[in-house]
Amino acid sequence: MLHFSIARVALTVLAAHSPLTRSLSVLISGKTTVVREAARVLAERCNVLIVDTSNEIAGDGDVPHPCVGHARRMQVHSLSEQGHVMVEGVQNHTPEVMVIDEIGRTDEVEAARTCKARGVRIVASAHGDLRKLVQNRALRGLIGGLEHVTLGDAQAAVHAKSRGFGDAEAVMSSKVVTKRGGPPIFEVIIELRRGKQDEWLVITSAADAVDAILDGRKYSVQRRTRDRATGHVFMALELA
């Protein structure tokens, strides 16, 4: 177990060794407060643009709230325009990092893919944990999407054996399998659970985790827990 000290719970995943300080895109499953703090911290070292659909990150005034620091903000007047504003923000403001309160619709997933393809890191939130995202048709593109692949006889036999099946019928049923369709838009996923404000689950490789889920295996996560009395944070590796 690794031990280190951080002053504020909102900075648990923003420490020097955090994925947010590397060239990765991060999907946060949980509270807007964390996304807001991420925008402020990243704006101290990067060109950050906030796409603020509900004005929950930077407030509803013409001037962004001081809590977001040096980050710029684009307001979205209608929920249906969020995907368009995301792409427009990349074209007109050339940000290094784009922060989005919530991605919840297919067109926003495609807009995120476009922004990522243009070299922009993305920090955003979405409802549901990783397993729920895999099952969500509208949002599974965030973690690479799914596709059906037909295996040859030899590959099907290996696949069936890896899942504990050995008879011919099981081999035949294993010839069509579900695989990840492509690279995830978000390489890192941080899960926050309701009522557990001092506990974080950090998935450092979304691609490996999705592959494990589709293969029926468990995947590696970091469980980071904060001691409120001391402010110390503990990290343990485990399987989920």
Side-chain angles (χ1 to χ4, degrees):
M1 181 174 289
L2 177 66
H3 169 266
F4 53 95
S5 178
I6 298 178
R8 298 174 56 187
V9 64
L11 296 181
T12 302
V13 294
L14 305 180
H17 68 285
S18 167
L20 286 176
T21 63
R22 304 199 299 268
S23 298
L24 301 174
S25 293
V26 180
L27 183 65
I28 301 174
S29 174
K31 296 186 177 298
T32 302
T33 304
V34 180
V35 177
R36 185 185 300 118
E37 183 69 1
R40 183 192 68 80
V41 172
L42 288 170
E44 295 176 353
R45 66 190 75 186
C46 303
N47 179 4
V48 176
L49 176 67
I50 299 170
V51 176
D52 204 0
T53 304
S54 58
N55 294 329
E56 289 188 7
I57 298 180
D60 59 1
D62 293 334
V63 179
H65 194 278
C67 67
V68 298
H70 299 296
R72 291 177 293 164
R73 186 264 302 269
M74 290 185 68
Q75 292 177 297
V76 182
H77 300 294
S78 171
L79 188 61
S80 62
E81 298 178 3
Q82 178 169 313
H84 172 73
V85 173
M86 289 166 61
V87 176
E88 180 184 347
V90 172
Q91 293 173 336
N92 296 338
H93 297 278
T94 59
E96 296 174 83
V97 181
M98 179 175 288
V99 176
I100 307 158
D101 181 22
E102 181 181 342
I103 295 178
R105 287 150 290 275
T106 305
D107 62 320
E108 295 159 16
V109 175
E110 292 306 312
R113 193 189 313 278
T114 298
C115 296
K116 183 68 178 291
R118 297 187 181 187
V120 179
R121 294 167 58 193
I122 304 174
V123 176
S125 69
H127 285 294
D129 57 22
L130 178 58
R131 293 185 183 275
K132 291 180 180 178
L133 283 178
V134 172
Q135 298 171 359
N136 189 320
R137 291 180 179 271
L139 298 183
R140 61 176 54 151
L142 297 174
I143 40 90
L146 305 182
E147 64 181 11
H148 297 295
V149 178
T150 301
L151 303 178
D153 292 340
Q155 290 177 308
V158 172
H159 182 260
K161 186 176 181 180
S162 69
R163 299 180 70 99
F165 304 112
D167 57 83
E169 184 177 349
V171 171
M172 292 302 295
S173 65
S174 298
K175 295 194 72 171
V176 179
V177 298
T178 303
K179 294 290 185 181
R180 177 166 49 87
I185 297 173
F186 294 91
E187 296 93 346
V188 176
I189 296 177
I190 299 171
E191 295 182 358
L192 309 181
R193 304 298 171 88
R194 186 182 300 275
K196 296 185 177 181
Q197 298 177 347
D198 298 300
E199 184 175 290
W200 313 62
L201 291 181
V202 182
I203 303 167
T204 57
S205 176
D208 291 345
V210 171
D211 292 345
I213 291 172
L214 296 177
D215 288 341
R217 298 181 285 108
K218 293 185 177 183
Y219 55 90
S220 176
V221 300
Q222 297 177 5
R223 183 179 298 275
R224 303 188 185 184
T225 307
R226 175 178 178 265
D227 185 331
R228 290 193 179 189
T230 63
H232 293 167
V233 177
F234 301 88
M235 183 179 75
L237 299 178
E238 58 185 59
L239 295 176

